[in-house]
Amino acid sequence: MSALREPEVDLALAREHGLTDEEWRNILEILGRTPTFSELGIFSVMWSEHCSYKSSKVHLKTLPVDGEHVLQGPGENAGAVAIGDGLAVIFKIESHNHPSYIEPRQGAATGVGGILRDIFTMGARPVASLDSIRFGPLDDARHRFLLRGVVDGIGGYGNSVGVATVGGETQFHPCYRGNILVNAFNLGVVEADKIFKARASGAGNPVIYAGSKTGRDGIHGASLLASAEFDDTTESKRPTVQVGDPFTEKCLIEACLELMKTDAVVGIQDMGAAGLTCSSFEMASNSGTGIEMDLDRVPQRAENMTPYELLLSESQERMLLVAQAGREDEVCEIFNRWDLDAVVVGRVTGDGRMRVRWHGETVVDIPVDPVARNSPELRRPTSEPRGLREQQKLDLTAVAPEEDPDEALEALLDTPNLGSKAWIWRQYDQLVQGNTVIGPGGDAALVRIKREDGSATDKAVALAVDCNPRFCALDPYVGAQAAVAEAARNVACTGARPLALTNCLNFGNPEKPEIMWQFAEAVRGMGDAARVLGTPVISGNVSLYNETDGQPIHPTPTIAMVGLLEPWERHAVAHFREAGRPVVLLGENREELGGSEWLALRRGVEGGAPPRVDLEAEARLHDLLGRAVRVGLVDVAHDVSDGGLAVALAECTFSAPDGAALGARIELDDGIRVDALLFGESTGRVVTTTDDPVGLLELAAEHAVPARAIGVTGGDRLRIGRPGGAPPWIDRPVSELRDVWAAALPRRLEVE
């Protein structure tokens, strides 16, 4: 035992920290000695899957990250794109899956808090949040509890901190029974020449700790909770879940943004995963410098904290920054005025080492780069899952045709996946800050852009988050392409031009070759789609080990897309607005039922190949939508996705934010089986309305996009059938369909 009464460090203890035997040997070689207990903790978190991306970075390097508008790609707290007039938007999506399964309210809340800090640490004011959440079936009481807790956590934190939650997605599937997914996105606005980065430059500059005091919450959240499978010991990991305080976060936002108006800040980073360790090592590594730090100066809310605990704590609402020498009092005064702790805890050095003292004793003395920049990089083996090719085969002649399309539509609208999510988003403040043009319930949110002084611009950003895990399970390459295409299409449906994306890659245990094959294929598909659609990947997050007792989740590469619309007043919505408007379908219906909700619900089959994705056709469709909305040819645009064309048309009739309903009469004759026509999920399709169908069809022809008039809005019923007076396949009062759709979640949760 050392003078600090720390445990004896050996291979067995290293294994308990999640380190491999090879990594232990590397540590001994780097240090030339046995690490201290605190040093072991540092290596374990910094080389964990969650922090080092050791299994994924070899694949992530293949993604397109540059583009016309890109100001900052992967490698910082978040990515940045220019939107003109000297402004930029900063955005990113991240996971908080494992903590949210163990403690749903605090896990989700601190996920929101963490993504907010990634945004304002770069100098941007957070203005809009999205969430992507996935659970097991709602007939499971545990998952009803998890859903309520996660929604409460997202709403409670976002509402209190004053950032609008403007959209998202929620899905349910048995594969998430043992591992739910909670992915949080935020976007902020900043002047393009005032973006701050995680840097520790200038030997002698002070290193300042600011924000909340440090406690024992969150220790080893990154290494032992987020970088391992769940098993029967999962419940014992509850203490590793952090506790958030949104009111402190609000003060931290304002203090940081006020400080950033001065020239006192050299670099800044939030203390997220791995806390003080990760922020200090990454800032130093980014600058080729070192840091000397005195842990006795760290503000503490728990007694007798050890250096190990102080370094690894993931207590929330904390920042680490480097200031100009001589400006320490100015920096601390701003934070103190916002009732936040701020104290100089160290200084930048030029020797590339991290030296940490505690009670006068050096407890850490290790080189920075081997821990951060040169962390392990693995090329794990990959192999296609056994039986996947057979699962992809689907003989439609052996699938019984749908005998009652009317009943099938009602059944689909009654599923939690396709039913209204209003019970969720009504718990979120969608309007705070007064920028929301289109909130939850549409294809994409639309948020006006204002400058920091509150002055208006004519710009808005469109935001959408998408993934179809069933597609990805059947073919991760095509499924990832479909996710990128759908997110971009949803953004384009508002009239916006898709600019760039951020991703949250949720997968199972990477030590299994089948999981790594899924991951590699999904990244390949995402990269190919991003290149063709011109939407580079500017930030993201990888969440692995989403697996319990050997049962992985479906591969879920969640895509959040951001687009630019100007002027913002000229935009389309996703619901019918006016009677007597011709309905025009863009794109083509194909006989594809693989991976569809209809096939799973009505035939109990989760198989077949997912719908093919024509990326060139998608790009033309997105360009067409932007131009058609801009010139006033299209005022309604709703993409066809989960549930197929019939579900999309039904949503158009009753999804107006004010609850208004407007029917339509639709005639279809495509020469394909009726269930594929109505419920197939072929990609690249959008339902629109126009007052000039001839003009829209001509513009579509210029863009080489298939288009045809399929009906007209009006009345109080949704009728879908063949032309020529034959009995319709679907003929229902819109109010009946809306009532079924609206009750899908509340009925299962037994709430109003």
Side-chain angles (χ1 to χ4, degrees), residues 580-584 632-636 688-696:
R581 301 296 290 273
V583 180
V584 174
L633 274 175
V634 165
D635 65 342
V636 171
T688 69
T689 67
T690 178
D691 60 2
D692 182 5
V694 173
L696 179 56

Side-chain angles (χ1 to χ4, degrees), residues 41 66 76 110 128 175 184 191 293 371 407 417 437 440 455 461 483 488 499 538 547 606 665 682 692 700 702 705:
D66 299 314
E76 276 294 330
T110 51
C175 76
E191 293 183 29
M293 193 156 41
V371 178
E407 180 189 345
N417 280 342
V437 180
S455 60
V461 288
L499 291 181
I538 66 165
E547 187 162 333
E606 293 200 13
R665 187 180 188 93
S682 297
D692 182 5
E702 290 180 22
V705 173

Side-chain angles (χ1 to χ4, degrees), residues 101 104-105 133-152 172 176-177 180 416 423-424 427 744-751:
Y101 184 81
R105 190 184 189 283
I133 53 180
R134 292 177 167 85
F135 303 88
L138 287 178
D139 59 4
D140 184 331
R142 167 70 175 168
H143 283 268
R144 295 195 295 274
F145 163 78
L146 290 170
L147 173 61
R148 292 189 183 100
V150 165
V151 171
D152 188 31
F172 305 88
Y176 301 111
R177 197 182 292 276
I180 67 172
W423 177 84
I424 294 173
Q427 299 180 57
L745 266 187
R747 179 171 65 81
R748 289 168 173 84
L749 294 171
E750 299 179 348
V751 296

Side-chain angles (χ1 to χ4, degrees), residues 482-553:
V484 174
E486 184 179 356
R489 190 186 323 124
N490 282 330
V491 162
C493 280
T494 68
R497 173 191 172 190
L499 291 181
L501 69 87
T502 178
N503 61 67
C504 194
L505 307 180
N506 307 275
F507 288 79
N509 184 344
E511 297 165 37
K512 297 180 178 180
E514 297 82 4
I515 300 297
M516 276 313 301
W517 180 85
Q518 291 176 335
F519 184 89
E521 285 293 284
V523 171
R524 187 169 68 90
M526 184 195 335
D528 286 350
R531 290 182 191 91
V532 174
L533 299 181
T535 54
V537 182
I538 66 165
S539 61
N541 172 241
V542 175
S543 175
L544 301 176
Y545 292 98
N546 292 288
E547 187 162 333
T548 297
D549 295 329
Q551 297 299 312
I553 63 166

